[in-house]
Amino acid sequence: MLVENLDHIGIVVEDIDQAIKFYQNTFGMKLIHQEIIQERGIKVAFLVGEEENETSIELLEPIDHNDMNNTVAKFLKNRGQGLHHLAVKVSDINKALEELTAKGLQLVDSAPRKGARGHLVAFVHPKSVMGVLLELVQPKEL
Amino acid sequence: MLVENLDHIGIVVEDIDQAIKFYQNTFGMKLIHQEIIQERGIKVAFLVGEEENETSIELLEPIDHNDMNNTVAKFLKNRGQGLHHLAVKVSDINKALEELTAKGLQLVDSAPRKGARGHLVAFVHPKSVMGVLLELVQPKEL
């Protein structure tokens, strides 16, 4: 499997509107996309720096903070706000999942599903990535 | 303050040599720099994807896992391996620290110090960044 680059770093927050304003006003970052993903029960927002290179931050807030079946709400309750996952860009997510399975890595998603921005995504379990929740992203346009 | 882009994402690991091999062999990432920072009691390694955009991952391992005065050793003991900090690139770190102080953010380093790769760095406390330990990086070449 080849990681093309880092796609984004996921950060769980208590209040996404407040967090967007904070990253804009305090660090001069630019909001490039905002979305409510009903199937996953989360609100997300992507921000980049001045140079707009491909790596962004993704702010995540659960729609229902009390839904303990939602992994983001659970994370927020158990660990509080903070760094949540690392997402890497791959050109062929199906091939990547096959390779990782063959290597014995534990997947959260055995098949890709539609994530934010219409991209195909799949998560790899932190147990198999030295404590890092890893998201594979195959951009829609590829 | 203006974030130019994301410089790197810091990941604490138990065994840096094993982790470097894992990221190389499993994800096809490339090692671009490795260093032992005696003053901070850590070993670090930077890796990037195929496209080599500016955003890298930084693996960190404490030199002495039992030194509880070392924040990385303490993190490893208390939270285990995983995502540790987010580093953003700025063009003028002194000005950035002044601005953040004026805005009331709590700094870990009130003045920049020499970090990995000879860059000037300073950390901002996670209490002031919604749970994210934030590192400012002013690259040496600027």
Side-chain angles (χ1 to χ4, degrees):
Chain A
M1 181 188 131
L2 276 188
V3 162
E4 301 201 338
N5 63 34
L6 306 187
D7 188 79
H8 64 265
I9 169 79
I11 300 172
V12 171
V13 296
E14 287 280 357
D15 180 329
I16 199 162
D17 297 317
Q18 208 183 348
I20 291 168
K21 276 183 209 131
F22 175 75
Y23 276 90
Q24 286 175 322
N25 298 339
T26 311
F27 304 125
M29 294 185 75
K30 287 186 274 191
L31 181 67
I32 53 167
H33 181 73
Q34 207 174 348
E35 190 175 339
I36 295 174
I37 312 178
Q38 291 291 348
E39 316 87 270
R40 292 184 55 207
I42 53 172
K43 301 183 236 179
V44 301
F46 291 84
L47 294 103
V48 292
E50 264 296 288
E51 290 178 358
E52 300 197 30
N53 91 357
E54 280 203 326
T55 311
S56 57
I57 61 169
E58 178 190 29
L59 302 174
L60 307 104
E61 185 200 339
I63 295 172
D64 177 358
H65 286 227
N66 296 314
D67 176 8
M68 289 302 116
N69 291 318
N70 183 286
T71 54
V72 177
K74 218 163 123 184
F75 182 94
L76 194 54
K77 191 170 182 182
N78 293 339
R79 309 195 50 169
Q81 303 189 108
L83 299 175
H84 178 259
H85 68 269
L86 174 65
V88 295
K89 194 174 86 170
V90 295
S91 59
D92 186 338
I93 195 168
N94 284 296
K95 198 174 149 226
L97 289 174
E98 268 174 41
E99 279 184 38
L100 297 183
T101 304
K103 283 182 177 158
L105 275 79
Q106 189 181 328
L107 306 178
V108 176
D109 303 298
S110 53
R113 53 190 174 74
K114 211 171 126 184
R117 301 167 295 174
H119 296 349
L120 287 176
V121 305
F123 281 88
V124 185
H125 200 286
K127 275 182 197 166
S128 295
V129 194
M130 302 179 169
V132 174
L133 175 61
L134 188 79
E135 180 180 10
L136 308 180
V137 177
Q138 178 187 322
K140 189 169 61 170
E141 57 274 19
L142 284 179
Chain B
M1 182 186 127
L2 276 187
V3 162
E4 301 202 337
N5 63 32
L6 306 187
D7 187 79
H8 65 266
I9 167 80
I11 300 172
V12 170
V13 296
E14 287 279 359
D15 180 329
I16 199 162
D17 296 317
Q18 209 183 347
I20 291 167
K21 277 185 206 128
F22 176 75
Y23 276 90
Q24 286 175 321
N25 298 338
T26 311
F27 303 125
M29 293 185 75
K30 286 186 276 190
L31 181 66
I32 52 166
H33 181 74
Q34 207 173 348
E35 189 175 339
I36 295 176
I37 312 179
Q38 291 291 350
E39 315 87 271
R40 291 184 56 207
I42 53 172
K43 301 182 239 181
V44 300
F46 291 84
L47 293 104
V48 292
E50 264 295 288
E51 291 177 357
E52 301 196 30
N53 89 359
E54 279 204 326
T55 311
S56 57
I57 61 168
E58 177 190 30
L59 303 174
L60 307 103
E61 184 200 340
I63 295 173
D64 177 358
H65 287 227
N66 296 315
D67 176 9
M68 289 303 116
N69 291 319
N70 182 285
T71 54
V72 176
K74 216 162 126 186
F75 182 94
L76 194 55
K77 189 166 187 189
N78 293 339
R79 310 194 50 167
Q81 302 190 108
L83 300 174
H84 177 260
H85 69 269
L86 173 66
V88 296
K89 194 174 86 171
V90 295
S91 60
D92 186 339
I93 195 169
N94 284 297
K95 198 174 148 225
L97 289 174
E98 266 174 40
E99 279 184 40
L100 297 182
T101 304
K103 282 181 176 159
L105 276 78
Q106 189 181 330
L107 306 178
V108 176
D109 303 297
S110 54
R113 53 190 174 77
K114 211 170 127 186
R117 301 168 296 175
H119 296 350
L120 286 177
V121 305
F123 282 88
V124 184
H125 200 285
K127 275 183 197 164
S128 295
V129 194
M130 300 178 171
V132 174
L133 175 61
L134 189 78
E135 180 181 9
L136 309 180
V137 177
Q138 177 187 322
K140 190 169 59 170
E141 56 274 20
L142 284 178

